[in-house]
Amino acid sequence: MSAPQPGSSLPPEVGGRYAKYVLGVLIVVYTFNFLDRQILAILANDIKADLGLDDAQLGFLYGTAFAVFYAVFGIPLGRLADVWNRRNLISIGLGFWSVMTALSGFARSFVQLAIPRIGVGVGEASASPSAYSMLSDYFPASRRATALALYSSGIYIGVGLGLIIGGQIAGRWDAAWSDPPFGLRGWQVAFFAVGSPGLLLALWVRSLREPVRGQADGLVTPDEPHPMRAFLYELRSVLPPLTLYHLARVGQGTRPLTINLIAAAVITAASIVLVQVTGDLAQWVAFGAGIYASVSWVQAVALRDRPTYELVFRTRALRYATFGFAFLAFTGYGLGFWAVPYLGRTFEVELTDLGLWSGLGAAVGGWIGVVMGGMVADRLRGRSPNGRLQVGGITAVVPIPFAVALLSTDTLNTAYVLYFLVSMLTPMWLGAGAATVQELVLPRMRASASAFFLLVITLIGLALGPYLLGKLSVVTGDLRSAMLLGLLSNVPALVFFGLAARYMPDELETVRERAKLSGEAGL
């Protein structure tokens, strides 16, 4: 892919050739984002055997260890994307998470693998808020869901490549060496191999042109004179115990600090109960910290930027839609991680073959599904304000019989076909979800709104989905039963979409009016 020459110092045309080039590069970035995440799925059974882990710990490593830090750091990094050069932010984050992925190959214990997984989460938190914001400035509203769906297709290209590359490297390495160099197992070498190329990609991203903020909507926003100050302000608003200092300094009286301390006490008590019930200290300490950071951030936004608070957190359609998409993510992340280990345990299949065929199914199926979903969402949105929510409802219903069939078949080839269909149908909501959030706020708030969207998606979908299915597998002794129970999360998704549809038409029409009433200047 070569960069087109714009031919002048003017900003690139909205929706033009250069915009498509930027979209292509960002798809590659998102591919690496999920390649580095998903490789753990194909390596899970080998890691479990070598490190002596159970399914709950594997779910924690794939989900919670990554997700909580991804979600929490996504908040200040989302704020930085609203006020700083988004291209540079993606480039720096990409370089960092690539190094962390490579370091995962040195792990010799659960803790040693958890630490770089946390680092991957922090680095990857820089990508999507920045990319959503950039692409919303490069593409008009009428084509935005399609552009964001194409960007999101990088998820499934990365998932597929992670399974294929991880399976090939680990399987061939272990087959070639009975006494491997330095005692390295195939799964460790796979981490080294997929982490290193991201450093070169980071340099490519650095060459992109930063778009004018708000140009696609005619609401050009001036640059923030002190972007790092805004980032550090947001960081201390979510990172305990700096959260208490932050509220004490900026709070109006003692009420915000009191509310925060009460929330901390309730979250701590709930975490203690869950640790006692499950025995999983790391899971609930990390998850509780993520919830506390989220509460602190909401308080901080209300004190710092009332218009953003009103449009992001008090827009009912945005709130309900976000939770609806989050429960779809629970199903998607849960099945997306556990389906491949399930196939490996159920059928006698070589790791290289399992990685190849499941990887092709995930890559091709996921790409078709997410692009198709984005195009359908744009078409339905042209007919109805609730068009994108309708895609969410479709995604909650249509994949279920295929998932049940996947978990019921006793034929490997049939399982591969069904895995392809499930991979195609479960991600159809991605473009619709991202575009819904972008449409309900002002351009200057888009990265922060994306951070909220990704926060909820990540905490419910990624921090709970893989872990809870893994825990159910441990408790029931049957991974299949655990995955079937996980499909029930689509029921609350449908409820939330129904609630969002009640408010969507009115709140789409009144974005500027509500922003002005909350104190937004320049409207």
Side-chain angles (χ1 to χ4, degrees):
M1 185 185 299
S2 60
Q5 301 299 318
S8 75
S9 59
L10 296 175
E13 177 189 359
V14 173
R17 184 172 172 230
Y18 192 80
K20 295 172 185 174
Y21 166 72
V22 171
L23 173 60
V25 176
L26 292 180
I27 290 171
V28 177
V29 171
Y30 214 28
T31 296
F32 271 76
N33 187 306
F34 270 80
L35 191 161
D36 291 350
R37 290 192 213 182
Q38 191 67 19
I39 192 171
L40 190 62
I42 191 66
L43 307 177
N45 290 337
D46 287 349
I47 293 172
K48 178 179 181 178
D50 281 357
L51 301 186
L53 309 182
D54 63 28
D55 283 349
Q57 289 175 308
L58 284 173
F60 173 84
L61 287 170
Y62 178 80
T64 315
F66 171 92
V68 169
F69 290 87
Y70 177 84
V72 170
F73 278 85
I75 294 168
L77 290 170
R79 172 61 178 156
L80 186 57
D82 270 339
V83 297
W84 192 52
N85 187 295
R86 293 158 287 185
R87 171 204 64 192
N88 290 350
L89 184 55
I90 295 172
S91 178
I92 293 168
L94 171 58
F96 182 76
W97 91 61
S98 298
V99 170
M100 291 295 105
T101 299
L103 290 177
S104 300
F106 291 106
R108 302 286 184 176
S109 69
F110 171 73
V111 173
Q112 290 177 7
L113 187 52
I115 291 172
R117 288 294 293 174
I118 290 170
V120 172
V122 173
E124 291 193 8
S126 66
S128 284
S130 301
Y132 285 172
S133 181
M134 282 184 72
L135 293 174
S136 293
D137 285 332
Y138 268 124
F139 289 89
S142 61
R143 294 164 56 194
R144 198 165 286 151
T146 300
L148 292 174
L150 285 167
Y151 167 74
S152 297
S153 71
I155 294 174
Y156 293 91
I157 300 171
V159 166
L161 288 177
L163 296 173
I164 294 170
I165 294 172
Q168 292 295 319
I169 293 174
R172 292 178 183 277
W173 179 273
D174 288 337
W177 299 95
S178 57
D179 183 21
F182 308 105
L184 293 173
R185 299 277 291 142
W187 64 266
Q188 294 174 298
V189 176
F191 278 123
F192 298 146
V194 301
S196 304
L199 297 174
L200 296 176
L201 179 57
L203 297 177
W204 187 12
V205 173
R206 183 64 180 80
S207 71
L208 298 178
R209 295 177 65 182
E210 176 76 359
V212 175
R213 201 178 303 272
Q215 65 180 8
D217 298 278
L219 290 172
V220 174
T221 304
D223 293 335
E224 166 66 43
H226 304 291
M228 291 304 157
R229 184 183 301 173
F231 167 71
L232 293 174
Y233 181 98
E234 207 80 355
L235 181 64
R236 80 184 192 200
S237 74
V238 298
L239 195 64
L242 295 178
T243 49
L244 299 176
Y245 165 78
H246 178 80
L247 289 173
R249 181 167 179 178
V250 305
Q252 300 165 356
T254 60
R255 188 169 181 270
L257 186 58
T258 301
I259 292 173
N260 186 271
L261 290 171
I262 292 172
V266 171
I267 293 167
T268 300
S271 298
I272 290 172
V273 171
L274 289 167
V275 169
Q276 292 297 317
V277 170
T278 65
D280 295 326
L281 178 65
Q283 166 68 27
W284 298 114
V285 168
F287 188 76
I291 297 296
Y292 170 73
S294 303
V295 171
S296 300
W297 177 55
V298 173
Q299 288 187 282
V301 172
L303 293 169
R304 169 181 58 80
D305 187 346
R306 194 71 192 183
T308 295
Y309 173 79
E310 291 291 334
L311 265 65
V312 173
F313 302 109
R314 294 178 65 87
T315 297
R316 290 165 295 187
L318 191 155
R319 234 180 18 237
Y320 290 135
T322 296
F323 278 95
F325 291 121
F327 278 99
L328 293 183
F330 183 102
T331 304
Y333 280 121
L335 290 180
F337 176 65
W338 284 113
V340 175
Y342 168 79
L343 293 176
R345 297 176 194 182
T346 303
F347 301 98
E348 293 185 3
V349 55
E350 294 290 335
L351 187 64
T352 51
D353 291 337
L354 176 61
L356 175 62
W357 294 111
S358 63
L360 286 173
V364 177
W367 190 89
I368 292 172
V370 76
V371 174
M372 178 176 63
M375 295 173 68
V376 171
D378 277 340
R379 177 164 294 187
L380 292 177
R381 174 64 183 88
R383 300 176 183 174
S384 166
N386 290 324
R388 288 170 181 153
L389 298 178
Q390 292 168 7
V391 172
I394 292 169
T395 310
V397 175
V398 174
I400 299 298
F402 298 98
V404 173
L406 169 64
L407 297 171
S408 303
T409 184
D410 56 4
T411 304
L412 179 60
N413 289 338
T414 303
Y416 282 143
V417 173
L418 290 167
Y419 179 75
F420 164 80
L421 293 173
V422 170
S423 297
M424 181 179 70
L425 296 170
T426 52
M428 291 194 302
W429 62 271
L430 281 165
T436 297
V437 171
Q438 301 294 301
E439 197 171 22
L440 285 163
V441 298
L442 297 178
R444 76 167 184 86
M445 305 169 184
R446 280 179 177 149
S448 291
S450 297
F452 167 67
F453 176 73
L454 293 169
L455 175 74
V456 179
I457 295 290
T458 303
L459 288 178
I460 292 178
L462 187 53
L464 290 181
Y467 163 76
L468 286 178
L469 267 59
K471 190 64 179 179
L472 286 169
S473 174
V474 172
V475 171
T476 64
D478 183 13
L479 180 57
R480 176 181 177 273
S481 296
M483 295 171 71
L484 287 170
L485 288 170
L487 297 175
L488 294 174
S489 66
N490 283 17
V491 175
L494 284 170
V495 173
F496 279 115
F497 289 136
L499 292 170
R502 294 174 58 188
Y503 301 105
M504 182 69 74
D506 178 67
E507 290 182 335
L508 280 172
E509 293 291 330
T510 59
V511 172
R512 295 195 187 194
E513 177 185 339
R514 288 182 290 115
K516 186 175 181 179
L517 288 173
S518 64
E520 181 72 6
L523 293 179

